[in-house]
Amino acid sequence: MDHGMYPGNKRSNEEILSNPNDHKRNRNAPSVRTEYRFLIAVSDAYAIFGRNGENYQSIRNKYHNQIDISQAPTPERILVFYGDEDRAMTILGDILPIMAQNQGVRPGFVELRAMIHSSQAGAVIGKSGDRIKEFRQKYNLDTKVFPNPTPGDTTERVLSLRGELPNIIECLREVYSILDQTPIRGPIRNYDPTVYDGADVERYGGFMENHDFQATRTRFNPNHHQQHNNNYNHRNNQPYYPSNNGPMPTTTLVTIPNSLSSSILGPRCSRIAQIRQQSGCVIKFDDPLPSNDRIISIIGLPNNIIHAQYLMQTAVKQWTNSTISS
């Protein structure tokens, strides 16, 4: 049982925690937004709290208790801001650098997962995924609305934004403008992390235990050639695995247009079988998303993942060249 982030540091529920379902927006007046909800990893929550909770309490005092973090014995938390949009974005401007430092991908780069009502997801995605693609191009972000609602018969879905801090905030402002013009349909049932389901995190956008933010989900660029895998043994077409003290396998999620899938899979999946064998990686294709994109999971050692990406890019380039020449 999780009795608190910092055992021995006694703080009341009123000071630190709130039920995320206690502050529900009036769905009949979507233009008056008073609550901004985000799904965060427990490691980000610890970073926001700081030593003995002093950092968190300082932020709450600064913003007159307009910020809360739920608590549950699970790998994820709900971060909530209350008030108008300008105040919420100002708070976010203080929180995101803390999250970026904790995530440690690179300076000024952060991942944020915003909660939106399921009935409004289509407005964010746009027809054939046009609006999500526009966000990616306009703000230079990796953007995705996860296909499944959060666990527990809720009406929330997760919008993931990955990129530079100022771009995250500007994109969110546009997202909230769209949502405020899109009335909520149906009931509002907010996600409570106490009903966390680790088996479905990849479908609803949740966090696994010890989530690795550097297992980056990137946009697939067939024109960008990655460096060859230095640990790849070209003589016998087998990956080289270092000793017990070497790097551990990780997962990289790559997003591609579904139209390129066949170029990587090949006839009767012969090409992807070859890429798996040569790279030594486990490679899985998700079902196509409503945006007509497709997510590929590449699981292996970091250098093997780089080699798998190189082989996939080569397959796409060869397919593109053959299509143009014909």
Side-chain angles (χ1 to χ4, degrees):
M1 181 69 178
D2 185 354
H3 294 288
M5 291 217 177
Y6 299 94
N9 181 31
K10 297 181 179 180
R11 302 183 306 277
S12 70
N13 286 345
E14 182 180 357
E15 289 176 322
I16 296 179
L17 309 176
S18 74
N19 186 331
N21 294 309
D22 283 346
H23 302 268
K24 296 184 178 180
R25 281 186 295 114
N26 179 359
R27 57 180 170 270
N28 295 320
S31 61
V32 183
R33 179 177 296 272
T34 60
E35 180 177 302
Y36 299 80
R37 292 169 51 82
F38 305 92
L39 186 66
I40 63 173
V42 66
S43 63
D44 278 341
Y46 283 131
I48 294 168
F49 267 78
R51 184 178 178 85
N52 295 324
E54 294 171 359
N55 190 43
Y56 175 72
Q57 196 58 51
S58 174
I59 294 172
R60 279 178 58 86
N61 290 340
K62 179 178 179 180
Y63 293 108
H64 307 291
N65 299 331
Q66 290 183 304
I67 170 177
D68 274 309
I69 301 177
S70 68
Q71 187 157 319
T74 67
E76 55 195 28
R77 303 286 190 267
I78 298 293
L79 170 67
V80 189
F81 305 149
Y82 305 110
D84 61 30
E85 181 178 310
D86 287 340
R87 174 54 66 92
M89 294 302 101
T90 301
I91 300 173
L92 193 61
D94 280 355
I95 295 293
L96 284 183
I98 299 172
M99 294 175 60
Q101 183 176 9
N102 174 67
Q103 294 173 16
V105 177
R106 64 175 184 265
F109 187 95
V110 69
E111 177 178 358
L112 182 69
R113 301 187 182 187
M115 313 291 279
I116 62 177
H117 194 274
S118 296
S119 68
Q120 298 175 308
V124 176
I125 296 170
K127 186 176 181 181
S128 301
D130 289 346
R131 189 162 274 157
I132 281 287
K133 293 176 183 176
E134 180 183 338
F135 291 152
R136 290 170 180 160
Q137 295 170 358
K138 184 175 180 180
Y139 299 105
N140 193 29
L141 298 174
D142 181 8
T143 335
K144 176 187 176 182
V145 176
F146 283 83
N148 285 11
T150 49
D153 190 30
T154 70
T155 57
E156 287 191 298
R157 285 172 67 179
V158 174
L159 165 66
S160 173
L161 305 171
R162 290 176 55 92
E164 303 299 326
L165 273 66
N167 296 348
I168 295 280
I169 293 177
E170 289 305 309
C171 184
L172 267 181
R173 285 188 179 275
E174 185 168 347
V175 167
Y176 288 135
S177 176
I178 292 167
L179 296 181
D180 289 343
Q181 298 172 47
T182 309
I184 289 174
R185 300 188 305 274
I188 298 176
R189 293 189 296 271
N190 288 342
Y191 174 50
D192 181 349
T194 59
V195 298
Y196 169 80
D197 182 2
D200 197 35
V201 290
E202 291 187 0
R203 300 294 292 173
Y204 77 82
F207 295 95
M208 296 291 290
E209 195 77 45
N210 300 318
H211 177 80
D212 181 8
F213 286 98
Q214 297 197 49
T216 308
R217 174 164 51 85
T218 59
R219 291 294 299 169
F220 185 79
N221 183 354
N223 297 318
H224 176 69
H225 296 281
Q226 305 247 14
Q227 182 180 358
H228 249 281
N229 176 7
N230 294 329
N231 285 346
Y232 186 73
N233 186 334
H234 294 275
R235 179 174 298 175
N236 58 14
N237 289 332
Q238 294 296 322
Y240 166 71
Y241 289 91
S243 63
N244 292 338
N245 293 327
M248 298 296 292
T250 61
T251 300
T252 290
L253 303 181
V254 175
T255 306
I256 68 168
N258 189 42
S259 59
L260 295 180
S261 296
S262 59
S263 67
I264 299 173
L265 292 169
R268 298 181 180 179
C269 295
S270 58
R271 186 170 290 114
I272 191 62
Q274 185 179 26
I275 293 172
R276 286 172 177 140
Q277 181 182 10
Q278 292 182 354
S279 68
C281 291
V282 175
I283 303 174
K284 301 177 181 179
F285 283 69
D286 284 1
D287 293 333
L289 298 169
S291 63
N292 206 31
D293 284 340
R294 200 162 184 179
I295 295 176
I296 305 174
S297 302
I298 310 174
I299 306 167
L301 299 180
N303 281 336
N304 297 110
I305 290 175
I306 290 173
H307 187 60
Q309 291 177 301
Y310 171 81
L311 294 173
M312 291 163 60
Q313 290 160 354
T314 300
V316 171
K317 184 178 180 181
Q318 291 174 346
W319 177 82
T320 303
N321 291 341
S322 64
T323 302
I324 293 174
S325 61
S326 62

